[in-house]
Amino acid sequence: MREDALLEWLRSRSPLLGDDAAKIRLAGDFACTVDTQEEGTHFRPGTGPAVLARRLLAVNLSDLAASGARPALAFLALAAPPNFGHRAFFTALRAAARRHGLVLAGGDLGRSDRVRAALFLVGRRPAGARWLSRGKGRAGDGLWVGGPLGLSAAGRLSLARPLGGATVHAARRAHLEPKPQLELGLWLGRQPRAAAIDVSDGLALDLHRLCRRSRVGARLDGEALPRPRGFAGLCSRLGVDPLELQLGGGEDYVLLFALPPSAEPPRRFGCTRVGVLTGGRRVLLRSGNASRPLPAAGWDHFGSASGAS
Amino acid sequence: MREDALLEWLRSRSPLLGDDAAKIRLAGDFACTVDTQEEGTHFRPGTGPAVLARRLLAVNLSDLAASGARPALAFLALAAPPNFGHRAFFTALRAAARRHGLVLAGGDLGRSDRVRAALFLVGRRPAGARWLSRGKGRAGDGLWVGGPLGLSAAGRLSLARPLGGATVHAARRAHLEPKPQLELGLWLGRQPRAAAIDVSDGLALDLHRLCRRSRVGARLDGEALPRPRGFAGLCSRLGVDPLELQLGGGEDYVLLFALPPSAEPPRRFGCTRVGVLTGGRRVLLRSGNASRPLPAAGWDHFGSASGAS
């Protein structure tokens, strides 16, 4: 499909989308974020274009969730081989965008030997809300996660194996099409104070990032980390340690957040309290009665790191 | 250089840049554009990181010029091999951005086997100005270009050959570091009506695009196209036809624009009148006393297209 013909097709479906720069009137406070998905790095070759579109959007929306922003505008830079399923991609992207109140307002199409998509999102701060950031945590705050951890990583590992069953299916879905926690982010933005980050590179690494920006330490309770049903069994089939996968697997796209000690998110969000922010700067993992330093590392580094400690 | 360390280094130099989404207050009318530069497609492997940064910025600023926007904010998605010169790239990008009043407000860094950069720009419509677009031309308008055509393409072709001399040097500079015509775009935005496009894919293709969106035809005077000094001689050394390179070479990043018949840009911009918009939808090239249809094609298609006509 030639680029001009594809653009005509897109323009007939997206009023703002044109060859010219998108012209937009804006008034208010906005959060802007950009994130990239690349074939071979972020998703396996052969991933369907519709799945890829939804994943690209979800991963980027998760950044807006961690800001407490309401999705507004999207701009896409897509490079793909000529035989890529552009129509399936854009049909899925527009449908998913619409579900989140997001308008695809502009973009750039190019050719490449691999699929690469950079998505730029603009979100709006709701009236009366505050921005969330990594830097707003204080010693004594409760530390929370917005959902289960490790399932996405287990799903990623399972893709290369001939496994089946409901847990495998759920894990693969968690990996391929994560659910950005936008409503939770909006709720956090209405609280007097909240620090938040979305868990993309793994709980351990992202907790270190939150602590560094907030200039605090943390004590994480390894046994409190929420595990979905069947997770331990799946890890056993995959030959990986469940806790290590939860700490370092990444791509969970749930929110990791800190709230003042007395605050608690509504039960409908399914959040779990997993620790506390502390004075000093040490980030500790409590497991049973023992505490040890939690390395700022992803899952692929955990084996050697825990072996050396 | 690890991504977190690079981000720390960047953050110490760009106050808005952080791990979190950039939080920005905006009020007014904005033009948003995104464009990509990829190693092997838009620039040769081995292009220096500083040259690449300036080229990336220039190509994208040219889209803002064609909108009549004043540069405001930039967001970058950069994927590069580990040995890429990140510091040289960002130092050059920030210096060039500052010269244009542009703030690097956010970004995403990743690894890739080739350098790929998507730049998202936000420009502001100046008070009292109008947006430019491709669709504002009317039959009878004068058709203008903002500078010489073909030089950048000659420069691109010359890179593969052991050529020297002042014209070759100028052509290579025109190719590697084009000058976006922002001041001209701002002047056009203060006129009662102006259509504009920046010549990225070649004069012929971009003229067709302007005509299609404006629902007009055009008569282009091939002999009026401005040629820099030494251009014909350089084309002869390269073994290419000067007119074909001017019509289809592309990457000129000068503005192609239409103004009401009596309007004329100030001489300081060095613009040249190259034709007229016409009723009907035919796009014709006049050369000597003859007129022939101008194909909507880039330079690589011209040989066969003119041979077949």
Side-chain angles (χ1 to χ4, degrees):
Chain A
M1 193 170 190
R2 283 193 48 232
E3 181 178 343
D4 278 14
L6 182 62
L7 285 173
E8 287 294 339
W9 178 80
L10 278 172
R11 192 179 307 115
S12 68
R13 282 155 182 80
S14 295
L16 273 172
L17 202 68
D19 295 314
D20 294 310
K23 318 287 171 49
I24 297 160
R25 178 160 296 177
L26 295 172
D29 288 307
F30 296 89
C32 304
T33 174
V34 58
D35 222 326
T36 305
Q37 293 275 302
E38 179 168 332
E39 187 177 344
T41 303
H42 302 92
F43 59 93
R44 288 158 58 95
T47 302
V51 171
L52 170 57
R54 288 190 289 267
R55 178 171 165 81
L56 174 70
L57 196 59
V59 166
N60 279 269
L61 283 170
S62 188
D63 280 330
L64 292 189
S67 300
R70 195 181 291 286
L73 299 168
F75 301 83
L76 173 75
L78 174 68
N83 64 351
F84 179 69
H86 283 94
R87 283 196 188 225
F89 177 89
F90 278 105
T91 300
L93 186 69
R94 291 185 56 254
R98 202 166 38 229
R99 277 198 299 280
H100 287 106
L102 195 63
V103 175
L104 181 60
D108 173 54
L109 295 175
R111 289 200 178 183
S112 181
D113 52 342
R114 290 190 215 163
V115 182
R116 286 178 176 83
L119 190 69
F120 177 85
L121 292 186
V122 179
R124 181 185 290 276
R125 192 183 69 179
R130 291 176 179 79
W131 284 134
L132 306 175
S133 86
R134 303 178 184 194
K136 292 188 171 175
R138 301 285 174 270
D141 281 359
L143 187 65
W144 300 75
V145 294
L149 294 158
L151 194 62
S152 166
R156 187 180 65 233
L157 294 174
S158 83
L159 286 172
R161 321 238 188 134
L163 298 175
T167 309
V168 170
H169 183 73
R172 288 177 179 168
R173 275 201 61 182
H175 173 63
L176 291 172
E177 305 194 21
K179 299 271 171 283
Q181 301 196 297
L182 287 157
E183 289 303 320
L184 175 57
L186 291 170
W187 180 85
L188 288 169
R190 291 194 299 272
Q191 305 315 301
R193 181 174 60 75
I197 184 172
D198 66 317
V199 179
S200 56
D201 293 332
L203 177 63
L205 201 48
D206 288 322
L207 174 57
H208 272 274
R209 287 171 176 155
L210 187 147
C211 287
R212 191 166 64 238
R213 291 288 293 281
S214 291
R215 300 167 186 275
V216 296
R219 199 166 54 242
L220 182 71
D221 183 355
E223 285 157 21
L225 299 181
R227 293 186 178 180
R229 279 170 67 94
F231 178 69
L234 175 56
C235 286
S236 154
R237 290 159 76 192
L238 292 167
V240 293
D241 179 81
L243 180 60
E244 290 188 357
L245 209 58
Q246 293 199 289
L247 292 171
E251 301 190 295
D252 301 291
Y253 301 108
V254 301
L255 294 184
L256 169 68
F257 57 97
L259 285 173
S262 59
E264 195 164 318
R267 291 178 63 89
R268 70 175 186 278
F269 292 123
C271 299
T272 306
R273 188 170 171 144
V274 294
V276 64
L277 298 188
T278 58
R281 302 294 286 268
R282 298 179 74 197
V283 179
L284 300 173
L285 174 69
R286 185 161 64 184
S287 187
N289 288 326
S291 281
R292 58 180 172 97
L294 179 69
W299 172 73
D300 47 342
H301 299 105
F302 258 74
S304 54
S306 52
S309 67
Chain B
M1 191 171 192
R2 281 193 49 231
E3 181 176 345
D4 278 14
L6 182 62
L7 285 173
E8 288 293 339
W9 177 80
L10 278 172
R11 193 179 307 116
S12 68
R13 282 155 183 81
S14 295
L16 273 173
L17 203 67
D19 295 314
D20 293 311
K23 318 284 171 53
I24 297 159
R25 178 159 294 178
L26 295 172
D29 287 306
F30 296 89
C32 305
T33 175
V34 58
D35 222 326
T36 306
Q37 294 273 302
E38 178 169 329
E39 188 177 343
T41 303
H42 302 92
F43 60 93
R44 289 157 57 95
T47 303
V51 170
L52 170 56
R54 288 190 289 266
R55 179 173 165 78
L56 174 69
L57 196 59
V59 165
N60 279 269
L61 283 170
S62 188
D63 281 330
L64 292 189
S67 300
R70 196 182 292 286
L73 300 168
F75 300 84
L76 173 75
L78 173 68
N83 64 350
F84 179 68
H86 283 94
R87 284 197 187 225
F89 177 89
F90 278 105
T91 300
L93 186 69
R94 290 185 57 254
R98 202 166 38 230
R99 278 198 299 279
H100 287 106
L102 196 62
V103 175
L104 181 60
D108 173 52
L109 295 174
R111 289 200 177 182
S112 180
D113 52 342
R114 291 190 213 163
V115 182
R116 287 180 176 81
L119 190 70
F120 177 85
L121 293 186
V122 179
R124 182 184 289 277
R125 192 182 69 179
R130 290 178 178 78
W131 284 133
L132 306 175
S133 87
R134 303 178 184 194
K136 291 188 172 177
R138 300 286 174 270
D141 281 0
L143 187 64
W144 299 76
V145 293
L149 295 157
L151 195 62
S152 166
R156 186 179 67 232
L157 294 174
S158 83
L159 286 173
R161 321 239 187 134
L163 298 175
T167 309
V168 171
H169 183 73
R172 288 176 180 168
R173 276 203 59 185
H175 173 63
L176 290 172
E177 303 194 24
K179 298 272 171 282
Q181 301 197 295
L182 288 157
E183 289 303 321
L184 175 57
L186 292 170
W187 180 85
L188 288 169
R190 292 194 299 271
Q191 305 315 301
R193 181 174 58 75
I197 185 173
D198 67 318
V199 179
S200 56
D201 293 333
L203 177 62
L205 202 47
D206 288 322
L207 175 56
H208 271 275
R209 287 171 175 155
L210 187 146
C211 287
R212 190 167 63 237
R213 291 288 293 280
S214 291
R215 301 168 186 272
V216 297
R219 200 165 52 242
L220 182 70
D221 183 355
E223 285 158 19
L225 299 181
R227 292 186 179 182
R229 278 170 66 95
F231 178 68
L234 175 56
C235 286
S236 154
R237 289 159 77 192
L238 293 167
V240 294
D241 180 80
L243 180 59
E244 289 187 358
L245 209 59
Q246 293 199 288
L247 292 171
E251 299 189 298
D252 302 291
Y253 300 109
V254 301
L255 294 184
L256 169 67
F257 57 96
L259 285 173
S262 59
E264 195 163 320
R267 289 179 64 90
R268 71 177 185 278
F269 292 123
C271 300
T272 306
R273 188 168 171 146
V274 296
V276 64
L277 298 187
T278 58
R281 303 293 286 267
R282 299 179 72 196
V283 179
L284 300 174
L285 174 68
R286 186 161 65 183
S287 187
N289 288 325
S291 280
R292 59 181 173 95
L294 179 69
W299 172 73
D300 48 342
H301 298 105
F302 258 74
S304 53
S306 54
S309 66

